[in-house]
Amino acid sequence: MLVKDWMTTELITIEPDDTVLDALHVMRENRLRRIPVAKGKKLLGIITEKDIKTFSPSKASTLDIYEMHNILADTLVKDVMTKNPINVAPDDPIEKAALILRDKRIGGLPVVDENGDLVGIITAIDVFDVFVEAMGMRIPGARISIVLDDRPGAIAEMAKIIKQHELNIISLATFFLKDQSMRDVVIRVSGDDVKIKSAVEELKSTGYNISSFMYMTGKTEV
């Protein structure tokens, strides 16, 4: 999965010579937390709610709301925005974007193509969507969590048992445990309930450590 497959391409941008008040109005009207700052197709910066909030208190300590409004109306976006923001390319793997968002603790990344043109934006919400899709969470089925040795062939052996019970694997993900020699394999399967239960029993009898097993509807459960 690549950034271009998940990014938002219908962009709302603002120009560097627009006012901070303009930016704030655009954010509120469109329920955005960040807006790329561009001149034509060229990315110049990004302005976020945090940028505006960080700017405002330094000016607001002795000002009333009307004076603050005037300051925001007189201040240009280019004086508050983050210049030369971190960005990714459309053909970058989605994992790269996720890692940057996590490590830099930011909510969104502009996407810039090889010509330097702004072509999209990818946010933390988009990455959550990737996780939901990759885990098959919207498809009804059974979720089986199995603790396996981290060795070649371990997952294939487990999958063979599931195949023998004519179950369809919706998704499979592995996570290292604190003990790096072990993995928690989370597998979601669909099929006949009797066959699912039979597969789980065979996995247990074969010696697999089933750490959790549950049915999931594919709908939001709160």
Side-chain angles (χ1 to χ4, degrees), residues 194-215:
V194 174
K195 292 180 178 179
I196 290 174
K197 291 177 181 178
S198 177
V200 171
E201 289 304 316
E202 183 174 344
L203 287 166
K204 288 180 179 178
S205 65
T206 309
Y208 286 95
N209 179 6
I210 309 293
S211 58
S212 70
F213 169 66
M214 66 186 73
Y215 287 98

Side-chain angles (χ1 to χ4, degrees), residues 31-51:
R31 297 183 179 180
L32 300 173
R33 294 186 177 181
R34 62 197 61 80
I35 309 175
V37 183
K39 197 73 173 178
K41 294 183 178 181
K42 300 304 178 183
L43 176 69
L44 300 177
I46 192 165
I47 186 166
T48 68
E49 279 186 340
K50 184 178 179 181
D51 293 328

